[in-house]
Amino acid sequence: MPHLAFASPRKLPKPRDLEGKVVVLDLAFASEAASGGYDKITKPFIDGLGSRLVAWVDHHDHTKHADFASDPRFVLSTKAEHGACPEMVTPEIVRRVGAVDTIVCHTDFDGLCSAAKWIRGGTEPYPGADDDARAIDTRTGVASATGQRFDRAIRARGRDLALLGLIVRHLAAGLTDASLWTPIDAAAAEFARAEEASRAVAQGYVRFDLSHLARSETLPPSATSVAFVDATKRHGEYDKTLLLLLGQERASIALLLDMDTLTLATRFDSGITFLPMLGLSGGMPTLVSVQKTRLPEVLKLLGVSNADASRIVA
């Protein structure tokens, strides 16, 4: 069993803290939306690992992917090409790379399932796990009951490293130890509180129609409306993913403000991408977080009228 290190694009472990040969799974290159971006977060991590980095498998868009096109260690795609990362972890890639000492992975189901699949030599932890990862990561379709059990537990306690490690262990063992479901289901049960809070916050969504006359040229005609909510007062109580999905039920784009962060979200299959509109080099095309200070600019780029914008910009 390799060592596990859990990370996010904005917060990577120090290379010196990672044992031996390292594989990185489901971690996007940092964009300008992260403090420091690629040059101050991702590149120093890659350089710090040097030859100990034996593989990086990821499916998030980034302009820097081109820099690694000739490096066989990097198996990179876009979100449109692969909706989730586990389907990219194939027996061929695992066999080619060989034994690894450490797996660094993202902290969502997509990342944890990718880690487990790598440990299993590229074999799904259970039939349909790849499909579940795709449904959960793109929020299109419906994951199986098994996938939903994992997803709800992770969303309830996504910072509980012991739980994340247990989930990888359970997946890597092919769900053979039924006793491991007990702490996972206990965590999943906690999600009910966050779900209730999310639905309460969603009542505050305000919907605006978007103008096609004065907005970013990168937005397609499918961007017709926006739903905005300020969730700052309920910070830490709600589930962000669910709240954004509830916003997308009301409009083609959901805008969520929480403290100093503004998040934009749209359906995976909407045809809308926020990266060129916001001048970002990479990340999730349909899910982006930027500083609160960009709210007036974002509203203008989306085509929100001055009168409507004045209702939500202090």
Side-chain angles (χ1 to χ4, degrees):
M1 186 82 169
H3 296 283
L4 295 173
F6 303 109
S8 72
R10 300 184 183 208
K11 190 172 183 181
L12 298 172
K14 294 183 178 1
R16 67 171 179 267
D17 295 335
L18 303 176
E19 296 285 339
K21 296 180 178 179
V22 178
V23 60
V24 179
L25 303 174
D26 191 41
L27 278 173
F29 290 0
S31 75
E32 294 85 352
S35 178
Y38 171 86
D39 289 335
K40 293 187 178 180
I41 300 176
T42 312
K43 189 176 187 301
F45 180 69
I46 294 173
D47 293 344
L49 285 174
S51 62
R52 293 197 298 121
L53 176 62
V54 293
W56 190 308
V57 183
D58 183 56
H59 67 126
H60 297 94
D61 302 51
H62 204 286
T63 58
K64 290 295 184 179
H65 281 188
D67 293 353
F68 299 92
S70 61
D71 190 330
R73 298 177 301 168
F74 290 83
V75 182
L76 307 171
S77 76
T78 65
K79 189 78 173 178
E81 292 169 331
H82 289 286
C85 190
E87 63 196 50
M88 299 176 66
V89 179
T90 64
E92 292 73 23
I93 291 175
V94 177
R95 186 164 51 246
R96 171 170 61 82
V97 172
V100 300
D101 301 293
T102 301
I103 295 175
V104 181
C105 65
H106 198 200
T107 55
D108 57 2
F109 180 74
D110 197 25
L112 303 186
C113 188
S114 295
K117 194 176 179 186
W118 189 282
I119 294 168
R120 292 172 58 82
T123 302
E124 283 185 301
Y126 59 89
D130 284 1
D131 291 337
D132 279 351
R134 194 179 311 108
I136 290 169
D137 213 53
T138 63
R139 296 298 163 186
T140 57
V142 179
S144 71
T146 298
Q148 291 182 48
R149 287 170 84 177
F150 284 120
D151 183 44
R152 291 175 70 85
I154 295 165
R155 288 162 70 183
R157 287 168 47 190
R159 297 183 179 180
D160 185 338
L161 301 187
L163 177 68
L164 300 184
L166 184 144
I167 288 173
V168 174
R169 174 185 165 192
H170 194 25
L171 288 166
L175 313 185
T176 55
D177 187 349
S179 68
L180 296 182
W181 278 118
T182 301
I184 294 171
D185 287 339
E190 298 174 12
F191 183 71
R193 290 193 293 271
E195 186 173 25
E196 181 179 358
S198 301
R199 296 191 182 282
V201 175
Q203 298 303 311
Y205 267 114
V206 180
R207 185 182 183 280
F208 304 119
D209 291 327
L210 300 178
S211 168
H212 287 73
L213 299 178
R215 66 177 190 178
S216 171
E217 295 179 353
T218 64
L219 283 179
S222 55
T224 60
S225 57
V226 63
F228 171 85
V229 67
D230 186 343
T232 300
K233 292 183 179 179
R234 302 296 295 271
H235 176 75
E237 299 178 22
Y238 64 90
D239 177 71
K240 186 174 183 178
T241 297
L242 176 57
L243 185 54
L244 288 168
L245 288 172
L246 292 171
Q248 292 166 57
E249 290 178 359
R250 293 161 168 79
S252 52
I253 296 171
L255 282 184
L256 168 59
L257 181 65
D258 188 343
M259 300 183 73
D260 294 327
T261 302
L262 175 68
T263 300
L264 299 81
T266 187
R267 283 181 55 88
F268 174 74
D269 56 0
S270 67
I272 301 169
T273 174
F274 300 121
L275 300 180
M277 183 187 82
L278 297 172
L280 299 176
S281 61
M284 285 272 285
T286 56
L287 178 63
V288 172
S289 291
V290 296
Q291 289 293 309
K292 172 185 178 179
T293 53
R294 296 193 68 177
L295 176 59
E297 173 197 1
V298 167
L299 294 176
K300 183 176 181 179
L301 289 170
L302 290 177
V304 176
S305 70
N306 291 335
D308 287 336
S310 66
R311 296 171 55 186
I312 56 179
V313 177

